[in-house]
Amino acid sequence: MGRLIAISNRTAADPKARAGGLAVAVWESLKETGGSWFGWSGNLVDDVPRGANVFRDEGVEFVLTDLTHEEHENYYLNYANRVIWPVFHYRLDLAHFNGEAFKTYSDVNQRIAGIVANRLQRDDTVWVHDYHFLLMGDALRHAGWEGPTGFFLHIPFPPPEMFRAIPEHHWIARAMCAYDVIGFQSSHDRANFVRYLVDQFDGEELGEDLIRVFGSTTRVAAYPIGIDPDGFRDAAQTAKADRAAERISRFLGDRHLVIGVDRMDYSKGLPQRFEAVGQLFDAHPEMDGKVSVTQIAPPSRSKVEEYQELRTQLDQLAGRINGDHGDLDWIPLRYLARSYSREELAGLFRIARVGLVTPLRDGMNLVAKEFIMAQPEEDPGVLVLSEFAGAAEQLRDALIVNPHDKFKVADAIYQALTMPLEERQARWRKLKAVVEEQDIGWWRNRFLKDLTPAD
Ligand code: GDG
């Protein structure tokens, strides 16, 4: 393979951003091939920038563009995060359809495609990431680029009935099919997209994941993303991890820790999770004072109204549950609206008896995989996992729950808290084998092999 060219809204230009799964995967291939990473600089300016900020780090070229205030408002906040994100997470009720925002979304895709196309070389392979750039493949084709171009969607793809609610769905689907390979997190997401192409545009399934539609052939397949398992296991053994574990242990005493870590987002099912915790204590008074639930929820996209509402809702729910169940020396549910370092999170996962990963809808959910890797073999915790996270297709030995059913989630937490050591170990070993085998390298290699089959 020649150079790999990555395009994503945020890049790992800041070395601190190179620890996460995607950054690790892309970074390795960029370094190996002397590739480039295109994206947003994080800066906002008044006028449409001419050119881009180009620099090199460890042999990788970064090409970053500023966004104008108007682009940020319409492309990023209004279209990507108030149309695509809610609809793709099955939340039509939260979508704010907005034709003007689509225009800016399309313009930004084209503007960045122009920057990329100018710098592409003949043997390059282009890998575009996520819902900010659904139209990028098509924009690159219009800019004259003919080489291999793949796309990976990190979030779910909705059923066709919902996708069709987006007024611009035809444009988006047509543009997506300009990619040679379209990757989804799960077979479920893939099936939704294929059903849309078949029903709406007479797409024809040719076998081996190939679909013929709009006069050309595109590969549409599931590539579940993984993590760097050794990296996360090591993070759980650092001094920083130890310190975080010690600090929370002082508060826990001999209580069991039940932990959740999620960006504060409505897709993560936090209010429903809090309700389930309340139900656990309603149904099992014997658990009073024996368990402490800690939810870490760093605020994200706080400029979007729905996120502010979610924050208020969580504050109220946590207050109510602690008011109902707490005691002088016990806070049943702690909720921390701030972020911690990766090592600190790993340390907290390590000593938790239960990991709660109960999104209402999630592309994959990497926290589920990280929780598994942080567990000690001699006394592993139990993962309670939503059936609506992409991860549920792989992590069959977790306790799989419907996150909308607070009774079942409460039962699963109880089952996890009382599960005999032998069963915990047996489940954990199977889960760990999957996370280790289907890791971030496995994901990247499968995708790139399909995108550049000749190599
Ligand atoms: C999207 C899709 C898909 C969380 N809080 C802190 C922190 N994190 C880290 C976690 C994990 C990552 O952020 C979150 O990844 P998720 O997969 O759980 O969720 P999204 O952010 O919604 O990611 C998702 C993913 O893309 C990859 O394709 O799995 O479905 O929605 O690594 O540990 N990290 C630090 N401090 C925190 O407070 N350092």
Side-chain angles (χ1 to χ4, degrees):
M1 195 176 97
R3 299 188 313 165
L4 180 67
I5 306 299
I7 308 176
S8 58
N9 183 59
R10 296 312 294 261
T11 70
D14 176 354
K16 280 191 241 127
R18 286 176 202 159
L22 168 67
V24 170
V26 176
W27 186 244
E28 285 300 310
S29 301
L30 291 175
K31 274 205 304 196
E32 276 166 27
T33 64
S36 303
W37 200 336
F38 292 75
W40 176 32
S41 64
N43 299 326
L44 295 180
V45 293
D46 289 331
D47 300 319
V48 178
R50 286 204 227 113
N53 179 14
V54 183
F55 57 93
R56 280 192 169 269
D57 192 8
E58 297 188 41
V60 175
E61 181 188 58
F62 286 92
V63 184
L64 308 182
T65 178
D66 301 339
L67 290 179
T68 67
H69 291 282
E70 198 267 329
E71 286 176 336
H72 181 252
E73 182 82 17
N74 275 330
Y75 142 78
Y76 181 77
L77 292 176
N78 287 342
Y79 206 77
N81 285 316
R82 297 185 85 187
V83 176
I84 300 174
W85 179 275
V87 175
F88 280 35
H89 285 88
Y90 298 43
R91 292 299 302 269
L92 277 185
D93 57 317
L94 295 180
H96 294 73
F97 298 117
N98 180 336
E100 198 190 323
F102 179 70
K103 167 90 176 55
T104 310
Y105 177 86
S106 172
D107 289 348
V108 170
N109 273 248
Q110 284 176 43
R111 180 164 80 72
I112 297 181
I115 298 172
V116 178
N118 269 334
R119 306 181 73 92
L120 285 174
Q121 298 170 11
R122 215 164 51 101
D123 292 334
D124 288 347
T125 296
V126 178
W127 192 1
V128 181
H129 290 267
D130 228 357
Y131 63 104
H132 313 90
F133 293 137
L134 295 168
L135 314 179
M136 180 63 71
D138 186 53
L140 284 170
R141 298 289 185 230
H142 277 100
W145 168 245
E146 290 175 356
T149 309
F151 175 75
F152 184 76
L153 184 67
H154 289 257
I155 67 175
F157 191 85
E161 294 75 12
M162 288 191 179
F163 184 55
R164 283 204 300 264
I166 299 181
E168 301 83 15
H169 67 95
H170 289 95
W171 286 80
I172 295 175
R174 199 176 273 274
M176 282 174 77
C177 291
Y179 288 111
D180 299 301
V181 176
I182 304 176
F184 294 99
Q185 296 273 26
S186 70
S187 62
H188 189 75
D189 300 318
R190 173 192 182 274
N192 282 340
F193 186 63
V194 170
R195 188 156 69 85
Y196 171 84
L197 294 179
V198 170
D199 292 355
Q200 191 81 28
F201 294 110
D202 294 329
E204 192 189 343
E205 293 189 69
L206 304 176
E208 298 189 340
D209 289 331
L210 296 175
I211 310 280
R212 182 154 185 85
V213 66
F214 305 123
S216 64
T217 302
T218 298
R219 184 180 297 276
V220 179
Y223 306 89
I225 195 169
I227 62 166
D228 167 18
D230 295 341
F232 206 83
R233 191 181 39 222
D234 293 349
Q237 304 303 329
T238 54
K240 256 183 152 181
D242 287 346
R243 264 200 306 281
E246 268 165 39
R247 278 179 68 200
I248 203 166
S249 297
R250 260 183 260 144
F251 156 83
L252 285 173
D254 54 8
R255 295 184 186 109
H256 285 310
L257 173 63
V258 175
I259 195 151
V261 173
D262 307 77
R263 270 189 313 100
M264 196 182 291
D265 188 285
Y266 49 78
S267 65
K268 302 293 183 183
L270 297 174
Q272 292 77 359
R273 190 180 307 175
F274 284 14
E275 294 279 9
V277 167
Q279 173 58 29
L280 169 75
F281 294 118
D282 283 343
H284 297 284
E286 74 275 20
M287 287 288 162
D288 282 2
K290 304 249 167 49
V291 180
S292 179
V293 180
T294 294
Q295 174 66 50
I296 294 172
S300 69
R301 302 173 197 155
S302 43
K303 281 202 189 132
V304 178
E305 215 171 280
E306 288 72 28
Y307 291 82
Q308 293 160 2
E309 283 165 21
L310 176 62
R311 174 78 205 254
T312 312
Q313 194 185 0
L314 293 178
D315 291 346
Q316 285 170 355
L317 270 173
R320 195 192 81 206
I321 291 163
N322 288 328
D324 285 350
H325 296 279
D327 208 337
L328 295 176
D329 57 354
W330 177 50
I331 304 170
L333 171 63
R334 288 206 317 168
Y335 136 64
L336 307 168
R338 51 159 290 182
S339 63
Y340 289 86
S341 71
R342 176 179 152 83
E343 289 77 14
E344 287 172 317
L345 294 181
L348 301 179
F349 289 161
R350 192 183 80 199
I351 63 158
R353 169 55 69 88
V354 183
L356 280 186
V357 178
T358 57
L360 305 181
R361 201 49 74 177
D362 217 331
M364 174 53 59
N365 196 297
L366 298 180
V367 170
K369 296 182 174 181
E370 293 166 351
F371 177 81
I372 300 294
M373 288 318 299
Q375 295 309 304
E377 183 165 10
E378 61 288 358
D379 188 21
V382 179
L383 177 65
V384 174
L385 178 61
S386 164
E387 64 181 283
F388 304 126
E393 278 193 2
Q394 293 169 293
L395 304 180
R396 303 310 302 168
D397 287 284
L399 297 181
I400 305 287
V401 294
N402 171 358
H404 298 277
D405 185 343
K406 70 172 179 178
F407 299 100
K408 289 284 160 51
V409 177
D411 284 352
I413 302 173
Y414 183 76
Q415 188 189 343
L417 286 166
T418 54
M419 189 179 284
L421 176 63
E422 246 176 50
E423 184 181 349
R424 282 192 276 130
Q425 286 177 323
R427 285 177 182 270
W428 175 74
R429 279 194 204 108
K430 290 191 205 153
L431 291 168
K432 176 175 156 281
V434 174
V435 177
E436 284 183 335
E437 194 192 315
Q438 299 175 0
D439 68 357
I440 190 74
W442 172 84
W443 169 76
R444 174 194 63 200
N445 294 341
R446 283 184 67 229
F447 189 93
L448 290 178
K449 190 159 158 274
D450 280 352
L451 186 55
T452 52
D455 289 350

Short mmCIF file of all heavy atoms in Angstrom, two decimals, residues 126-159:
data_model
loop_
_atom_site.label_atom_id
_atom_site.label_comp_id
_atom_site.label_asym_id
_atom_site.label_seq_id
_atom_site.Cartn_x
_atom_site.Cartn_y
_atom_site.Cartn_z
N VAL A 126 -7.34 6.45 0.63
CA VAL A 126 -8.02 7.43 1.49
C VAL A 126 -9.00 6.71 2.41
O VAL A 126 -9.81 5.88 1.96
CB VAL A 126 -8.78 8.47 0.63
CG1 VAL A 126 -9.52 9.46 1.52
CG2 VAL A 126 -7.81 9.20 -0.29
N TRP A 127 -8.92 7.03 3.70
CA TRP A 127 -9.84 6.43 4.69
C TRP A 127 -10.52 7.56 5.45
O TRP A 127 -9.89 8.28 6.23
CB TRP A 127 -9.07 5.52 5.64
CG TRP A 127 -9.95 4.65 6.48
CD1 TRP A 127 -11.31 4.61 6.45
CD2 TRP A 127 -9.54 3.71 7.48
NE1 TRP A 127 -11.78 3.69 7.36
CE2 TRP A 127 -10.71 3.13 8.01
CE3 TRP A 127 -8.30 3.30 7.97
CZ2 TRP A 127 -10.68 2.15 9.00
CZ3 TRP A 127 -8.26 2.33 8.97
CH2 TRP A 127 -9.44 1.76 9.48
N VAL A 128 -11.82 7.70 5.21
CA VAL A 128 -12.61 8.78 5.81
C VAL A 128 -13.37 8.23 7.02
O VAL A 128 -13.89 7.11 6.97
CB VAL A 128 -13.62 9.34 4.77
CG1 VAL A 128 -14.44 10.48 5.37
CG2 VAL A 128 -12.89 9.81 3.51
N HIS A 129 -13.43 9.05 8.08
CA HIS A 129 -14.09 8.59 9.30
C HIS A 129 -15.28 9.44 9.69
O HIS A 129 -15.18 10.67 9.79
CB HIS A 129 -13.10 8.59 10.47
CG HIS A 129 -12.07 7.53 10.31
ND1 HIS A 129 -12.20 6.28 10.86
CD2 HIS A 129 -10.91 7.51 9.61
CE1 HIS A 129 -11.16 5.54 10.52
NE2 HIS A 129 -10.36 6.27 9.76
N ASP A 130 -16.34 8.74 9.93
CA ASP A 130 -17.47 9.20 10.72
C ASP A 130 -18.46 10.16 10.07
O ASP A 130 -18.28 10.63 8.96
CB ASP A 130 -16.99 9.72 12.07
CG ASP A 130 -17.84 9.13 13.20
OD1 ASP A 130 -18.78 8.39 12.89
OD2 ASP A 130 -17.55 9.40 14.37
N TYR A 131 -19.47 10.46 10.86
CA TYR A 131 -20.70 11.07 10.34
C TYR A 131 -20.55 12.52 9.92
O TYR A 131 -21.46 13.08 9.32
CB TYR A 131 -21.82 10.92 11.39
CG TYR A 131 -21.57 11.64 12.71
CD1 TYR A 131 -22.23 12.82 13.01
CD2 TYR A 131 -20.68 11.12 13.65
CE1 TYR A 131 -22.02 13.47 14.22
CE2 TYR A 131 -20.46 11.76 14.85
CZ TYR A 131 -21.13 12.93 15.14
OH TYR A 131 -20.91 13.58 16.33
N HIS A 132 -19.42 13.12 10.22
CA HIS A 132 -19.20 14.50 9.77
C HIS A 132 -18.92 14.54 8.27
O HIS A 132 -19.07 15.58 7.64
CB HIS A 132 -17.99 15.11 10.49
CG HIS A 132 -18.03 14.90 11.97
ND1 HIS A 132 -17.46 13.80 12.58
CD2 HIS A 132 -18.61 15.61 12.94
CE1 HIS A 132 -17.68 13.85 13.89
NE2 HIS A 132 -18.38 14.94 14.13
N PHE A 133 -18.49 13.41 7.72
CA PHE A 133 -18.00 13.41 6.34
C PHE A 133 -18.67 12.36 5.45
O PHE A 133 -18.01 11.71 4.65
CB PHE A 133 -16.47 13.21 6.34
CG PHE A 133 -15.72 14.38 6.93
CD1 PHE A 133 -14.65 14.17 7.80
CD2 PHE A 133 -16.08 15.68 6.62
CE1 PHE A 133 -13.96 15.24 8.34
CE2 PHE A 133 -15.39 16.76 7.16
CZ PHE A 133 -14.33 16.55 8.03
N LEU A 134 -19.98 12.22 5.61
CA LEU A 134 -20.70 11.25 4.78
C LEU A 134 -20.55 11.56 3.29
O LEU A 134 -20.59 10.67 2.45
CB LEU A 134 -22.19 11.26 5.15
CG LEU A 134 -22.54 10.80 6.58
CD1 LEU A 134 -23.99 11.12 6.91
CD2 LEU A 134 -22.30 9.30 6.73
N LEU A 135 -20.37 12.85 2.97
CA LEU A 135 -20.34 13.26 1.55
C LEU A 135 -18.93 13.37 0.99
O LEU A 135 -18.74 13.76 -0.17
CB LEU A 135 -21.03 14.63 1.39
CG LEU A 135 -22.38 14.82 2.10
CD1 LEU A 135 -22.91 16.24 1.86
CD2 LEU A 135 -23.40 13.80 1.61
N MET A 136 -17.93 13.09 1.80
CA MET A 136 -16.53 13.35 1.41
C MET A 136 -16.10 12.53 0.19
O MET A 136 -15.40 13.03 -0.69
CB MET A 136 -15.63 13.04 2.61
CG MET A 136 -14.14 13.24 2.38
SD MET A 136 -13.71 14.95 2.00
CE MET A 136 -13.96 15.75 3.58
N GLY A 137 -16.50 11.25 0.13
CA GLY A 137 -16.08 10.39 -0.99
C GLY A 137 -16.54 10.97 -2.31
O GLY A 137 -15.77 11.08 -3.28
N ASP A 138 -17.79 11.39 -2.33
CA ASP A 138 -18.37 11.97 -3.54
C ASP A 138 -17.67 13.28 -3.89
O ASP A 138 -17.36 13.55 -5.06
CB ASP A 138 -19.86 12.20 -3.28
CG ASP A 138 -20.60 12.66 -4.51
OD1 ASP A 138 -20.50 11.95 -5.53
OD2 ASP A 138 -21.26 13.71 -4.45
N ALA A 139 -17.42 14.09 -2.86
CA ALA A 139 -16.75 15.38 -3.09
C ALA A 139 -15.34 15.14 -3.66
O ALA A 139 -14.89 15.87 -4.55
CB ALA A 139 -16.69 16.17 -1.79
N LEU A 140 -14.66 14.12 -3.16
CA LEU A 140 -13.32 13.82 -3.69
C LEU A 140 -13.39 13.36 -5.14
O LEU A 140 -12.55 13.73 -5.97
CB LEU A 140 -12.65 12.73 -2.84
CG LEU A 140 -12.12 13.19 -1.48
CD1 LEU A 140 -11.71 11.98 -0.62
CD2 LEU A 140 -10.92 14.13 -1.65
N ARG A 141 -14.41 12.56 -5.45
CA ARG A 141 -14.57 12.12 -6.86
C ARG A 141 -14.78 13.34 -7.76
O ARG A 141 -14.19 13.43 -8.83
CB ARG A 141 -15.75 11.16 -7.00
CG ARG A 141 -15.62 9.87 -6.21
CD ARG A 141 -14.58 8.92 -6.79
NE ARG A 141 -14.56 7.65 -6.08
CZ ARG A 141 -13.45 7.08 -5.60
NH1 ARG A 141 -12.27 7.64 -5.75
NH2 ARG A 141 -13.52 5.92 -4.98
N HIS A 142 -15.62 14.27 -7.30
CA HIS A 142 -15.86 15.47 -8.10
C HIS A 142 -14.60 16.30 -8.26
O HIS A 142 -14.43 17.03 -9.23
CB HIS A 142 -16.98 16.31 -7.50
CG HIS A 142 -18.33 15.81 -7.91
ND1 HIS A 142 -19.12 15.04 -7.10
CD2 HIS A 142 -19.01 15.96 -9.07
CE1 HIS A 142 -20.23 14.71 -7.74
NE2 HIS A 142 -20.19 15.26 -8.95
N ALA A 143 -13.73 16.22 -7.25
CA ALA A 143 -12.47 16.97 -7.34
C ALA A 143 -11.44 16.23 -8.19
O ALA A 143 -10.29 16.66 -8.29
CB ALA A 143 -11.94 17.24 -5.94
N GLY A 144 -11.84 15.08 -8.75
CA GLY A 144 -10.97 14.38 -9.70
C GLY A 144 -10.22 13.19 -9.14
O GLY A 144 -9.48 12.51 -9.85
N TRP A 145 -10.42 12.87 -7.88
CA TRP A 145 -9.71 11.75 -7.27
C TRP A 145 -10.36 10.42 -7.64
O TRP A 145 -11.57 10.23 -7.49
CB TRP A 145 -9.68 11.93 -5.75
CG TRP A 145 -9.23 10.73 -4.97
CD1 TRP A 145 -9.97 9.99 -4.11
CD2 TRP A 145 -7.92 10.14 -4.99
NE1 TRP A 145 -9.21 8.97 -3.59
CE2 TRP A 145 -7.95 9.03 -4.11
CE3 TRP A 145 -6.73 10.43 -5.67
CZ2 TRP A 145 -6.84 8.22 -3.90
CZ3 TRP A 145 -5.63 9.62 -5.45
CH2 TRP A 145 -5.69 8.53 -4.57
N GLU A 146 -9.55 9.46 -8.13
CA GLU A 146 -10.12 8.18 -8.56
C GLU A 146 -9.62 6.99 -7.75
O GLU A 146 -10.05 5.86 -7.97
CB GLU A 146 -9.78 7.95 -10.04
CG GLU A 146 -10.55 8.91 -10.95
CD GLU A 146 -10.16 8.78 -12.41
OE1 GLU A 146 -9.23 8.00 -12.72
OE2 GLU A 146 -10.78 9.48 -13.23
N GLY A 147 -8.69 7.22 -6.83
CA GLY A 147 -8.07 6.10 -6.09
C GLY A 147 -8.98 5.51 -5.03
O GLY A 147 -10.10 5.99 -4.80
N PRO A 148 -8.48 4.45 -4.36
CA PRO A 148 -9.30 3.77 -3.35
C PRO A 148 -9.71 4.70 -2.20
O PRO A 148 -8.87 5.39 -1.63
CB PRO A 148 -8.40 2.64 -2.83
CG PRO A 148 -7.05 2.89 -3.40
CD PRO A 148 -7.16 3.85 -4.53
N THR A 149 -11.00 4.67 -1.90
CA THR A 149 -11.55 5.59 -0.91
C THR A 149 -12.56 4.84 -0.04
O THR A 149 -13.58 4.37 -0.55
CB THR A 149 -12.24 6.77 -1.63
OG1 THR A 149 -11.33 7.31 -2.59
CG2 THR A 149 -12.63 7.88 -0.66
N GLY A 150 -12.27 4.74 1.23
CA GLY A 150 -13.16 4.00 2.13
C GLY A 150 -13.72 4.90 3.20
O GLY A 150 -13.20 5.98 3.48
N PHE A 151 -14.81 4.42 3.80
CA PHE A 151 -15.48 5.20 4.83
C PHE A 151 -15.85 4.27 5.98
O PHE A 151 -16.36 3.18 5.75
CB PHE A 151 -16.76 5.82 4.25
CG PHE A 151 -17.59 6.54 5.27
CD1 PHE A 151 -17.19 7.78 5.75
CD2 PHE A 151 -18.76 5.98 5.76
CE1 PHE A 151 -17.95 8.45 6.71
CE2 PHE A 151 -19.52 6.64 6.72
CZ PHE A 151 -19.11 7.89 7.19
N PHE A 152 -15.61 4.72 7.20
CA PHE A 152 -16.06 3.95 8.35
C PHE A 152 -16.97 4.81 9.22
O PHE A 152 -16.59 5.91 9.62
CB PHE A 152 -14.88 3.44 9.19
CG PHE A 152 -15.35 2.57 10.32
CD1 PHE A 152 -15.75 1.26 10.08
CD2 PHE A 152 -15.43 3.06 11.61
CE1 PHE A 152 -16.23 0.46 11.11
CE2 PHE A 152 -15.90 2.27 12.65
CZ PHE A 152 -16.30 0.97 12.40
N LEU A 153 -18.16 4.29 9.49
CA LEU A 153 -19.12 5.01 10.33
C LEU A 153 -18.98 4.51 11.77
O LEU A 153 -19.23 3.34 12.05
CB LEU A 153 -20.55 4.76 9.81
CG LEU A 153 -21.63 5.54 10.55
CD1 LEU A 153 -21.50 7.05 10.31
CD2 LEU A 153 -23.03 5.07 10.13
N HIS A 154 -18.62 5.41 12.67
CA HIS A 154 -18.41 5.00 14.06
C HIS A 154 -19.71 4.89 14.85
O HIS A 154 -19.74 4.30 15.92
CB HIS A 154 -17.46 5.99 14.75
CG HIS A 154 -16.06 5.87 14.25
ND1 HIS A 154 -15.06 5.25 14.95
CD2 HIS A 154 -15.49 6.27 13.09
CE1 HIS A 154 -13.94 5.27 14.25
NE2 HIS A 154 -14.17 5.89 13.11
N ILE A 155 -20.76 5.50 14.34
CA ILE A 155 -22.05 5.48 15.05
C ILE A 155 -23.00 4.51 14.34
O ILE A 155 -22.68 4.01 13.26
CB ILE A 155 -22.62 6.92 15.16
CG1 ILE A 155 -23.02 7.47 13.79
CG2 ILE A 155 -21.61 7.86 15.84
CD1 ILE A 155 -23.71 8.85 13.86
N PRO A 156 -24.15 4.23 14.92
CA PRO A 156 -25.05 3.26 14.28
C PRO A 156 -25.60 3.80 12.95
O PRO A 156 -25.51 5.00 12.70
CB PRO A 156 -26.21 3.13 15.29
CG PRO A 156 -25.75 3.76 16.55
CD PRO A 156 -24.69 4.74 16.20
N PHE A 157 -26.17 2.92 12.16
CA PHE A 157 -26.96 3.37 11.00
C PHE A 157 -28.41 2.97 11.27
O PHE A 157 -28.68 1.83 11.62
CB PHE A 157 -26.46 2.77 9.69
CG PHE A 157 -27.10 3.45 8.51
CD1 PHE A 157 -26.55 4.62 8.00
CD2 PHE A 157 -28.28 2.96 7.96
CE1 PHE A 157 -27.16 5.29 6.95
CE2 PHE A 157 -28.90 3.63 6.91
CZ PHE A 157 -28.35 4.79 6.40
N PRO A 158 -29.35 3.92 11.12
CA PRO A 158 -30.73 3.64 11.55
C PRO A 158 -31.50 2.78 10.54
O PRO A 158 -31.08 2.65 9.39
CB PRO A 158 -31.34 5.04 11.60
CG PRO A 158 -30.60 5.81 10.54
CD PRO A 158 -29.19 5.27 10.55
N PRO A 159 -32.63 2.26 10.95
CA PRO A 159 -33.50 1.55 10.01
C PRO A 159 -33.93 2.52 8.92
O PRO A 159 -34.07 3.72 9.16
CB PRO A 159 -34.71 1.15 10.86
CG PRO A 159 -34.29 1.32 12.27
CD PRO A 159 -33.19 2.31 12.31
#
